Amino acid sequence: MTPPTARTWSRRGDTPVITVRGRSQRRISIAALACYKPGAHSRLIYRPMVHPDHKAGGRRSFAWTDYRNLLIRAHQQLGKPIVLVWDILNVHRDRRLRALIDAQDWVTVYYLPPYAPQLNPVEGIWSLLRRRCQADTAFTGPAHLMRALRRGLRQVQYQPDLIDGCLTGTGLTLTTPRLQRQ
C-alpha cells in the first residue's frame, strides 16, 4: 500500500518528489500499560519491539514471554499489585501466560468484551501517537520510525493528563463499583 513516491508542498511550479523506501517487510510492535491509581499521577509503561524480516523467520508480533516480561517490569516499577483490564487478544489468553498470572498474587486480570476497543484506554494513546509523531512524516527507515515512536510515547508519559483523558474517553472511571471477572 506504500506508494513509490510521495509529494509534498513547495513553491508553485516546483513540486519536490520524495522517494519512499516502502515495501519493507519489517514490523514494529508496541505493548503498553496505562496505569491508574486514585490520587496519583497516571503512568504509561511501554515496550517497543522491532521484528526481523518475515522471510528470515521468527515471530511477527509479541509472544507471551514478551507480555510476561512487561508485566514483571511494570510490577517492579509500580511496586504494587496490578489489576489488568485486557482485550481478548489470543496472546493475552495464552495458557502459559494465564498459568503465570494465576500463580502470582500481585496480578488480577479482567477481560474486556469482544469488539470493544472504545473501552480500552490504550487505544486512545495509539490515536495520540498517530496524530502527533506519525502525522505528515515520511520515515526514512525503521530506525527513524522507532525514534519517533519512542519520542512520542515519552511525551505522553510526561503528560499524565493525556493518559487520564484516554481513560475518561472510554467512559470508565477509577471508582467503577464492580468489574466482572471471566
Side-chain angles (χ1 to χ4, degrees):
M1 301 291 290
T2 306
T5 59
R7 302 196 188 291
T8 184
W9 294 100
S10 181
R11 293 183 179 179
R12 176 178 238 150
D14 185 27
T15 305
V17 176
I18 301 170
T19 57
V20 178
R21 289 184 245 153
R23 295 175 176 72
S24 169
Q25 298 300 322
R26 292 182 198 96
R27 183 176 284 207
I28 295 175
S29 298
I30 303 172
L33 298 173
C35 305
Y36 303 96
K37 180 180 174 185
H41 290 293
S42 298
R43 296 183 63 182
L44 179 69
I45 299 172
Y46 63 91
R47 169 100 19 119
M49 180 183 289
V50 177
H51 303 285
D53 189 353
H54 83 282
K55 293 178 184 174
R59 190 172 177 92
R60 294 180 64 183
S61 63
F62 275 93
W64 76 273
T65 53
D66 299 319
Y67 285 107
R68 176 198 63 198
N69 296 341
L70 178 64
L71 288 175
I72 291 170
R73 186 71 177 156
H75 178 62
Q76 289 172 348
Q77 285 183 13
L78 299 171
K80 302 283 182 183
I82 297 173
V83 177
L84 277 175
V85 180
W86 258 350
D87 56 10
I88 58 168
L89 183 68
N90 60 353
V91 180
H92 294 169
R93 295 178 288 124
D94 186 278
R95 62 177 169 77
R96 295 165 291 191
L97 185 59
R98 188 73 229 174
L100 173 88
I101 289 171
D102 291 340
Q104 306 300 325
D105 61 344
W106 51 265
V107 64
T108 306
V109 177
Y110 295 97
Y111 290 98
L112 291 170
Y115 306 108
Q118 68 276 12
L119 295 177
N120 191 348
V122 178
E123 293 294 334
I125 292 169
W126 302 144
S127 177
L128 284 171
L129 281 178
R130 283 190 296 273
R131 287 182 286 157
R132 286 178 154 206
C133 68
Q134 291 180 316
D136 300 326
T137 305
F139 295 102
T140 58
H144 182 209
L145 174 60
M146 184 61 87
R147 280 193 311 272
L149 289 173
R150 285 182 186 269
R151 189 178 328 110
L153 285 165
R154 207 170 23 251
Q155 289 173 352
V156 171
Q157 277 184 322
Y158 293 143
Q159 298 175 337
D161 293 340
L162 289 177
I163 303 169
D164 290 339
C166 292
L167 178 69
T168 304
T170 64
L172 301 173
T173 63
L174 293 176
T175 57
T176 302
R178 59 189 160 87
L179 295 172
Q180 300 295 323
R181 186 171 183 160
Q182 292 183 348

